[in-house]
Amino acid sequence: MKILYIVALIVAVVFLYYLISKKSAAAEDQLPEKFAPYQLLDSSTIIRSGIVQMNLLLESKKNIELFLTSQNNIIVSCFKAEKEKSFIKIAPDGKVSDTLTLMSRPEDMVFLKGFIVNTQAKQYYRWSFNGAKTPISISAQNSDFDWDDEKQDKQLAYIVKHAAGVWVDYKFDSPVPEKIAGEGPQTTQGVSGYAIVTYMIGEECFQFYTTLNISKYFSSAYLQEMLWNNLFKRISHHRLDGEIISTPNLNYRYFHKLKPEKVRFSGGGGNAPGFTKKLYPGYLFTDVVFKNDTIKLKELMYLDEDWHASAVAVGGQNIGALYRNKVQPIAHMNGYLYYTNNHLQYALFTNNEQKLYLIK
């Protein structure tokens, strides 16, 4: 009888624990009421709040580049197709005022301080500034390599001092072996290297060919600055992709954690062992402020609480790493991006650097 009583007591305790745990889990899964009105961030949907709306302006196969002209036109550079380079000009009122589409390989096109340069075709465009869609031939300097070292050195010093934009291509010539008359072996000249420095002086574009070592003239940091076309981020010594520029217009309010999942990842090649991560699926709730309106967004993500390397903080506390998926290759979400200035009647927003939303 005593044993039956003990067994019944144990069963009752276990059942009570189950009820409490279930109730606690249900309470944890319950979304706070104030976040119920938040709208799902969906690229196919126009999101409205008051008199403001946000819609997807464009998508790109590669990361989008942005350049602000002195007239406060924003030039958007993107690849809508693998070899289709598109440029879009957004006027200060938020309307697309002009477009330019060029067929080219991605590696041949350089967006250099607003100038569009095709290094392979040796042409450039001033379209960003004057709307002209006719290409202009690039002037070549020392293309026959007939300048001595002193003259090349003076030209490089001039470029460093005066150029508004610089891009460097490294080239290597490997001559075809030549057959010597008779039965002798084939001979080959050594592989020779040189650099092509594409640069802007005023509205003119030049390509300077040089055999000198140009590393002392153009450091990697200098060249990164020349090609930095990003209004959302600043150059960082800690991140190659830059540091997100913080703004009071973005306010991360809450991450609603759901039941955690154990996700298995491979070791990343070689003999590296696989590993398991505990990820929390859930929704990130964010306020996006534009003028007097607030767009309330939510987006499904996966939270890793063991790694704190994102710019997402709720109540001043970094919540961990956020991913958009749970398979390799993992898609990190380092933070939302937002840009406007006092001369613009709109704002730009993105959760992914291959998409661009317009808020107006």
Side-chain angles (χ1 to χ4, degrees), residues 118-138:
N118 188 321
T119 58
Q120 184 67 25
K122 303 184 186 311
Q123 297 175 330
Y124 73 105
Y125 298 79
R126 298 173 181 166
W127 171 84
S128 299
F129 309 101
N130 61 13
K133 298 183 179 181
T134 302
I136 305 168
S137 296
I138 299 174

Side-chain angles (χ1 to χ4, degrees), residues 35-320:
F35 296 112
Y38 280 65
Q39 302 174 71
L40 185 65
L41 180 57
D42 184 345
S43 60
S44 64
T45 304
I46 295 176
I47 299 175
R48 294 180 172 85
S49 176
I51 62 173
V52 169
Q53 69 177 34
M54 183 177 82
N55 64 282
L56 182 67
L57 181 65
L58 59 90
E59 289 189 79
S60 175
K61 298 293 184 181
K62 298 183 179 295
N63 282 3
I64 292 166
E65 295 181 281
L66 301 167
F67 177 80
L68 180 68
T69 72
S70 59
Q71 292 79 31
N72 279 290
N73 293 312
I74 289 182
I75 311 300
V76 184
S77 170
C78 64
F79 272 96
K80 290 188 175 181
E82 188 60 33
K83 293 185 179 181
E84 182 181 318
K85 185 75 166 179
S86 297
F87 297 89
I88 297 170
K89 185 179 296 183
I90 309 175
D93 62 2
K95 295 180 181 178
V96 175
S97 60
D98 200 3
T99 60
L100 175 65
T101 300
L102 302 172
M103 304 306 295
S104 173
R105 298 185 307 169
E107 59 267 29
D108 294 337
M109 298 295 297
V110 181
F111 194 34
L112 190 57
K113 297 299 182 183
F115 292 93
I116 302 160
V117 182
N118 188 321
T119 58
Q120 184 67 25
K122 303 184 186 311
Q123 297 175 330
Y124 73 105
Y125 298 79
R126 298 173 181 166
W127 171 84
S128 299
F129 309 101
N130 61 13
K133 298 183 179 181
T134 302
I136 305 168
S137 296
I138 299 174
S139 300
Q141 298 171 325
N142 194 33
S143 57
D144 294 329
F145 299 103
D146 52 1
W147 293 16
D148 61 25
D149 288 359
E150 182 180 358
K151 188 174 181 180
Q152 291 184 58
D153 187 78
K154 287 181 179 179
Q155 184 63 22
L156 287 169
Y158 176 84
I159 293 170
V160 171
K161 185 175 181 180
H162 297 285
V166 175
W167 164 257
V168 176
D169 272 323
Y170 295 95
K171 302 291 185 180
F172 297 92
D173 279 343
S174 182
V176 176
E178 296 181 358
K179 178 70 174 178
I180 298 178
E183 299 299 325
Q186 292 179 322
T187 62
T188 306
Q189 293 179 343
V191 176
S192 59
Y194 62 96
I196 303 176
V197 181
T198 302
Y199 67 97
M200 307 299 307
I201 298 287
E203 294 186 348
E204 301 297 323
C205 185
F206 303 87
Q207 284 187 326
F208 173 55
Y209 292 69
T210 180
T211 55
L212 298 184
N213 181 354
I214 63 170
S215 59
K216 69 175 183 178
Y217 303 95
F218 310 115
S219 67
S220 57
Y222 173 88
L223 294 175
Q224 185 184 27
E225 173 66 31
M226 291 291 102
L227 291 172
W228 192 254
N229 295 306
N230 197 322
L231 300 177
F232 298 121
K233 296 180 176 180
R234 63 172 63 92
I235 293 175
S236 170
H237 298 297
H238 307 291
R239 296 185 62 98
L240 290 177
D241 61 345
E243 176 188 355
I244 295 174
I245 299 172
S246 61
T247 170
N249 298 84
L250 287 178
N251 184 11
Y252 303 107
R253 297 291 309 283
Y254 177 59
F255 185 84
H256 184 60
K257 292 195 299 186
L258 301 176
K259 185 178 179 181
E261 300 177 11
K262 289 185 177 180
V263 181
R264 184 69 180 173
F265 293 100
S266 63
N271 296 320
F275 59 94
T276 300
K277 295 289 291 184
K278 182 170 74 170
L279 301 180
Y280 290 90
Y283 286 90
L284 178 66
F285 291 81
T286 307
D287 289 347
V288 181
V289 178
F290 179 69
K291 297 188 183 298
N292 297 321
D293 283 288
T294 300
I295 299 173
K296 298 179 181 294
L297 301 176
K298 65 178 179 180
E299 184 178 7
L300 176 65
M301 297 185 192
Y302 297 88
L303 173 65
D304 177 0
E305 292 185 321
D306 296 330
W307 185 51
H308 293 75
S310 74
V312 178
V314 176
Q317 297 295 318
N318 189 285
I319 62 174

